[in-house]
Amino acid sequence: GLQRVLGPRDGTAARPVPAGPRTADRIVPVPLSVTPGSGPGYRLTDRTVIRTAPGTEAVERQAGEVRRIAERLAETLRRPTGLPLPVVEPAAGDGIALVLDPALPEATGTEGYRLTADADGVRITARGPEGLFRGTQTLRQLLPPGIESPAPAADGPEWTLAPVTVEDRPRYRYRGAMLDVARHFFTPAEVKGFIDRLALYKLNHLHLHLTDDQGWRIEVPARPALTAVGATSEVGGTPGGFYTAADYQEIVRYAQERYLTVVPEIDVPGHSNAALAAYPELDCTGSARPWPYTGTEVGFSTLCPTGDAVFTFTRDVVTELARLTPGPYLHIGGDEVKRIAPAEYAEFVRRVGEQVRAAGKTPVGWNQTAPGGIGLLQFWDGRAGRDTELREATERGAEVIMSPSGRSYLDMKYESTYPLGLVWAGTIDVRTAYDWDPDTLLPLRAGSVVGVEGPLWTETLDTPGALDLMLLPRLPALAELGWSPRESHDWGHFKGRLAEEGARWEAAGYAYERRPEVPWP
Ligand code: TNX
């Protein structure tokens, strides 16, 4: 049966957790290598400082960024511990040190780090700031569950780390989750909460599905009706909403501070009913343009694939989105277009892809866009023929983000009787979400898979709590597929580690699903 766990603030009693510090081989995603040390480990006290270390000239230029990482770590640790944890410039004494070291092995990459803990302190080293940030997430996970509490927590004062050396770096360069803010709108504050969960599991991309039949969620000054008309509703008929440029940039900044790149998606030419309701002249197929559209059918809408007007429109949108987005990608959607001919579709995709490149960005598309020459393809649809088309694209050089709907879709039900989510791609329990290999699921050109993504579509989800129930515990399964070495893949080991996350979510006040396939304590 279904059990919802809503955390201690909702009256659920805290569950027992293993005594003593958590060893690094228990965290999610599991690190590349863990070497236990000897001795007592390190205990945070009221004398602990967070130090940022000096270095070479090249490193000095990044000193401000390292300091901000230290401040963010201090904020996270101060709330539950009540310790002062001042951030200081280099000084002797015990504490947590964040050290940039460009001399670390090149294989460490931009996101890799080394963490050592012993009686004298904790030291995180990385070749760049991003690696330091990922290392601070490991540090969080090595402390007791109460460290996730937003208020003084009961596990103290034993804020102790086991003695250890961790060497770590990701398997894939792209590890993402997608939030559909079109079917149901989520406020900037709610999106920040979503980002917090992604950052903890070392994801590095947030894909925002900003437009669909039911709503257009990003302001485009040259096209005011997109939001004046297209943002006024959502699935179920509730009011919807949209992000102003300032809202969007605030989300981007919050993500950036956690070393996540925002990938904005404008879904064209299909899934475009909200845009067509705002600008009916973009329709040449004579399709109905119901507005508000509060249902969940797919495939009925399409922009006119030919003529100048539509490309002026897409250029207006692409230009504005490129202006607001510091990351390298713009996602152009391209899924489920049922009303125009394949040749027209491919030519449309090719032209919009060119507009994205002209705006200085790399176009990304759902796997259907392969014939339109899009070089970074997001695989989702395993139905007849799609994987052949995708393999051929990879043989021409395309790269692939794996988000197979039957494995990584965070909106699929855990089991058929589950109250939230959909079942069109099957049910996805935690083992199904975890037990696959992104490199070999499809027969693609070797090396063409650059990572994984978990899309969270929101036809049936309209509150942050509902998002959490779908995300936890499946997001950490995907995060581990994206980060941890293939050789470490082991369901039996993973489910035991995952079970330990529950107490952490309870401390954080996150809802999660106590699925029976996970041995929760
Ligand atoms: C298919 S996956 C869609 C979305 C739906 C989703 C629901 C994809 C590219 N398109 O429009 O929201 O299924 O699971």
Side-chain angles (χ1 to χ4, degrees), residues 178 180 183 207 209 212-214 265 267 271 296-299 331 333-336 366-368 378-381 383 403 405 409-412 421-425 455-459:
M178 189 207 81
D180 170 9
R183 271 56 174 271
H207 171 181
H209 184 74
D212 215 298
D213 291 320
Q214 298 85 350
E265 178 188 351
D267 199 350
H271 289 271
T296 60
E297 289 302 306
V298 296
H331 199 308
D335 57 316
E336 298 177 312
W366 295 106
N367 54 242
Q368 284 95 331
Q378 182 168 6
F379 174 75
W380 67 280
D381 175 9
R383 278 170 287 186
S403 50
S405 49
Y409 267 37
L410 295 163
D411 67 317
M412 291 299 121
L422 305 173
V423 289
W424 68 264
L456 186 46
W457 302 98
T458 58
E459 286 94 332

Side-chain angles (χ1 to χ4, degrees), residues 197-215:
R197 288 138 177 84
L198 272 45
L200 177 58
Y201 293 104
K202 300 191 174 84
L203 269 62
N204 64 359
H205 287 82
L206 169 67
H207 171 181
L208 285 177
H209 184 74
L210 290 167
T211 71
D212 215 298
D213 291 320
Q214 298 85 350

Side-chain angles (χ1 to χ4, degrees), residues 312-352:
T312 311
F313 170 79
T314 54
R315 199 186 54 225
D316 286 347
V317 172
V318 161
T319 305
E320 173 65 0
L321 214 56
R323 185 181 78 78
L324 297 177
T325 303
Y329 304 122
L330 291 195
H331 199 308
I332 62 166
D335 57 316
E336 298 177 312
V337 179
K338 300 181 179 169
R339 298 178 60 100
I340 58 180
E344 279 181 326
Y345 168 82
E347 176 61 9
F348 176 91
V349 167
R350 194 192 60 72
R351 287 186 64 175
V352 177

